[in-house]
Amino acid sequence: MTLHLRSLVSAASLVALLGVGAADAAQLNLHNGGDVTSLDPQKLSGDWEDRVAGDIFEGLTTEDAKAEPVAGQAESWTISPDGLVYTFKLRPGIKWSDGVPVKASDFVFAFKRLMDPKTAAEYAYLQYTIKNAEAINKGEIADLDQLGVRAIDDATLEITLEKPTPYFLGALTHYTAYPLPEHLIREKGDAWVQVGNIVTNGPYKPVEWVPGSHVLTQKNPQWYGAADLKIDGVKFFTLEDTAAALRRYRAGEFDILTQFPTDQYAWLQENMPGQAHVAPFAGLYYYVMNSTKPPFDNPKVRRALSMSVYREVIGPKILGTGELPAYGWVPPGIANYEGPEVKVDWADKPYPEKMAEAGKLLAEAGYGPDKPLTIQLRYNTDDNHKRLAVAIASMWKPLGVNVELLNTEVKVHYAELRQGNFQVARAGWLADYNDADNFLNLLKSGVEMNYGQWSNPDYDKLLNEAAGTTDMPARAKLLKQAEKIAVDADAAIPIYYYASRSVVSPKISGYEDNAFDKHRTRWLAKAE
């Protein structure tokens, strides 16, 4: 039996199965939060999945330790004078983990598959700046060869855009821009992504995946920088209970927590100084309302619910980690978005005035203490989400709003949101690239991540006009006009701008706080 087992299970997997300590090799034990649903880069949607994908795949560009775009599979590139044509030269000798060369055609294959409507990739729209991408993805152009991506030769890739895009090199770090092994997918079909079949082109390769438990990776010896890797592999643990995760970290089972209960922040600072990391983060925490269903199709109801959220107490008191209150849609500090901050016109009113006005709005909509509004508030399993949901339910109660709380695991939660099976629900967005339209597109008609299906033709028109504008100040002005429409209509309830919250063992070096909370394993080291 032992011989059979050893023939079927990799050495790294065997270590995990037998419970051998991570100190025997430089294995990083990472609390990853949600359950990974796929290893296919075009089937992902969460930051917990991105953490795995960004270790095992690499795009034309990738992130450095500060999350800035740097050369990845491409060693260099040129941009045409009009900003429309990017020509990438691939690194010499790059290979998939099975030793097959990575070719420019693998990128062409991947982009076509991403835009093929049959793939149903949720995030395909992130690459709509590529010529004909949106028309192909929406079925308006059937010929995939019309996509603005072509291989000039095995080592040269040309990408033509619809319009100049200042953030394009950053967008190429996203998993929607990863290449795919055409030779394997044509042979195995959808089964290509199974452990035992899958090949990858990043620093690591997956050797074990147990849904609901973990993904295990080890070094990819075919990756061009493998000799410089300080971590031999990563075990990405599924665990949505942040209190349990902190207990396991204190017991030495985890090296990094990607979240922690915010009510433990003061304790961590006192008892484990320097290990809790809280940093500004390009992200928005918000509640979405299903505007296709009464009463949330009534803007008075939406505004009443938004006005009565006491944002100023959330960061310092409810969460305890100092998150900034959000009265607009785009977080501060986003590139190419200079000028006055966009926010609701009632943002600076004293909270008692907000509550009084919210009560009047609900009364005008037909609700109040004598005719309570009963709503279901959904959130995904997490102590911090629960703490906030309970607090906001108590803020709404004086208005005569009764709240039923419903929590589910994260993959179920977002599946229900995409299908419109909710009234009010918690959501969050972490920037995929450093540009305001990454946030504003969340409220655009027809975008799958527009969970509440709020729709405004003027808003859509402004976003489309901005997309075709190369004058950056003029573009920012158009985007701000669009944001103003959305916040004035209370399209959703922005609550706070994220701070990243992690806990990092003193054994780990190379971990740099950054605005995108990206910490690829290739930059890390672990001391014995």
Side-chain angles (χ1 to χ4, degrees), residues 3 45 118 134 159 168 200 311 338 355 373 388 423:
L3 289 175
S45 63
K118 290 183 289 188
E134 182 172 8
I159 300 181
F168 185 59
T200 63
R311 292 161 174 83
E338 293 77 15
M355 286 296 288
L373 171 61
L388 188 53
Q423 290 184 310

Side-chain angles (χ1 to χ4, degrees), residues 238-259:
T238 299
L239 180 59
E240 297 185 38
D241 184 337
T242 54
L246 181 56
R247 289 193 295 270
R248 292 179 65 176
Y249 174 85
R250 294 178 60 191
E253 295 179 45
F254 294 151
D255 300 310
I256 295 176
L257 301 183
T258 57
Q259 282 284 342

Side-chain angles (χ1 to χ4, degrees), residues 355-367:
M355 286 296 288
E357 189 170 337
K360 290 178 183 177
L361 288 168
L362 275 185
E364 290 171 9
Y367 299 98

Side-chain angles (χ1 to χ4, degrees), residues 234-308:
V234 185
K235 194 169 186 180
F236 296 89
F237 288 85
T238 299
L239 180 59
E240 297 185 38
D241 184 337
T242 54
L246 181 56
R247 289 193 295 270
R248 292 179 65 176
Y249 174 85
R250 294 178 60 191
E253 295 179 45
F254 294 151
D255 300 310
I256 295 176
L257 301 183
T258 57
Q259 282 284 342
F260 63 82
T262 56
D263 63 351
Q264 296 299 303
Y265 184 44
W267 184 92
L268 283 163
Q269 288 178 301
E270 182 177 349
N271 294 279
M272 307 180 86
Q275 296 182 47
H277 290 240
V278 176
F281 191 8
L284 174 70
Y285 191 108
Y286 63 102
Y287 279 0
V288 61
M289 298 166 283
N290 194 334
S291 62
T292 67
K293 298 178 180 179
F296 310 103
D297 56 346
N298 186 334
K300 292 182 178 181
V301 172
R302 299 199 302 266
R303 174 158 297 191
L305 294 177
S306 185
M307 289 189 83
S308 50

Side-chain angles (χ1 to χ4, degrees), residues 26 42 47 169 223 246 307 344 360 403 409 485 492:
Q42 296 178 0
D47 60 336
L169 291 173
W223 186 63
L246 181 56
M307 289 189 83
V344 294
K360 290 178 183 177
V403 179
E409 63 178 7
I485 288 174

